[in-house]
Amino acid sequence: MPFKSKFKTRRYKKGINSSKGVVGYIEKSKGNRFRVKEINSGVNFEISRKELKKAFVGDKVSCLPSSKGWVHIDKVLESKTKYFVGTISKHGKKVRAFPVETGRFCPVLIKGLTPKKLSNHSLVKVKVTRQPTQNESARGIIENILDSTDEVVVANEIAISKFNLLTDWPKGIIQETKKLTRKIRTVLDVHYLVLLLHIIHVEKH
């Protein structure tokens, strides 16, 4: 049965902002399909999977029409991804990581030292050291190997990476958090501590 998306996804038509192209954010829909959501109109434009070699999901991009009637990425205007959780693929001496959100459509070349226990399909946290461009894939280094069986830890790392949440906090905020947890007399899962710290941080600013 063919895939049907509830989102309005359009091919680029000549005459619609043809001089300016499309400016929007890369999003993923169901069925491993990808689109660029135009900022001003909210219209979704289809992009091919190979375009993900040029940018990460979530990046703000400028696009132009392709010969097939879709849009292709002309320039990355704002990069959102600094860290991501991904799986490893080893081919000879080359090691690549693929973000779990995009599958095998956004390869990141791993540089530097790699853990001895690293193997194909290892789940890792990667720090992006170079953003992807029109001609070159992104590069990164492995921060650590994750335990794929610990769903809570994996989910937390994905959330921290996706939303660029802070993980290092001033002592004053940490002390205030401890006081707050004692007041409400609730045993909090430590994995929710990061979100609690953000709430306090926002209130202080």
Side-chain angles (χ1 to χ4, degrees):
M1 183 176 179
F3 168 80
K4 293 183 180 180
S5 175
K6 65 179 180 179
F7 298 96
K8 292 182 179 180
T9 305
R10 302 182 183 177
R11 292 174 183 271
Y12 191 98
K13 295 182 179 180
K14 292 182 179 179
I16 302 178
N17 295 327
S18 57
S19 61
K20 297 182 180 179
V22 173
V23 175
Y25 292 95
I26 302 175
E27 296 181 348
K28 180 182 178 182
S29 59
K30 294 180 180 179
N32 280 329
R33 295 194 176 196
F34 300 90
R35 59 180 181 258
V36 173
K37 186 172 185 178
E38 191 173 27
I39 294 174
N40 294 329
S41 67
V43 174
N44 298 309
F45 294 91
E46 291 179 280
I47 60 172
S48 65
R49 293 169 180 173
K50 67 179 181 180
E51 290 295 297
L52 295 179
K53 294 181 180 180
K54 304 176 184 178
F56 290 105
V57 170
D59 285 354
K60 182 180 179 181
V61 295
S62 173
C63 298
L64 295 174
S66 70
S67 59
K68 294 182 179 180
W70 294 20
V71 294
H72 66 81
I73 298 171
D74 178 56
K75 184 179 180 181
V76 177
L77 303 177
E78 185 179 348
S79 298
K80 295 286 188 177
T81 302
K82 298 178 181 178
Y83 295 86
F84 68 87
V85 173
T87 55
I88 289 295
S89 176
K90 299 176 72 175
H91 295 281
K93 293 183 179 180
K94 287 189 176 181
V95 179
R96 290 183 173 85
F98 295 86
V100 294
E101 285 192 310
T102 55
R104 300 186 64 81
F105 307 121
C106 187
V108 176
L109 186 63
I110 298 299
K111 291 293 186 178
L113 297 176
T114 57
K116 292 181 179 180
K117 295 182 179 180
L118 190 71
S119 62
N120 273 321
H121 310 300
S122 288
L123 194 63
V124 296
K125 181 177 181 180
V126 176
K127 178 181 180 180
V128 178
T129 57
R130 188 180 73 185
Q131 295 292 329
T133 65
Q134 291 278 359
N135 302 315
E136 295 182 300
S137 298
R139 291 187 179 184
I141 57 174
I142 295 176
E143 290 273 294
N144 57 286
I145 299 178
L146 303 177
D147 181 2
S148 59
T149 63
D150 194 331
E151 296 180 355
V152 174
V153 171
V154 173
N156 287 339
E157 290 293 350
I158 291 175
I160 290 170
S161 301
K162 183 176 182 178
F163 299 106
N164 292 321
L165 301 180
L166 297 177
T167 55
D168 296 322
W169 299 90
K171 290 183 178 180
I173 293 181
I174 294 175
Q175 292 298 326
E176 192 168 340
T177 303
K178 290 180 178 179
K179 292 178 182 178
L180 181 59
T181 57
R182 285 197 293 267
K183 286 182 180 179
I184 62 178
R185 296 180 181 178
T186 302
V187 178
L188 294 177
D189 187 330
V190 294
H191 298 294
Y192 296 106
L193 183 58
V194 171
L195 296 178
L196 185 58
L197 288 168
H198 272 277
I199 293 172
I200 295 174
H201 180 69
V202 170
E203 289 179 350
K204 279 181 168 290
H205 295 81

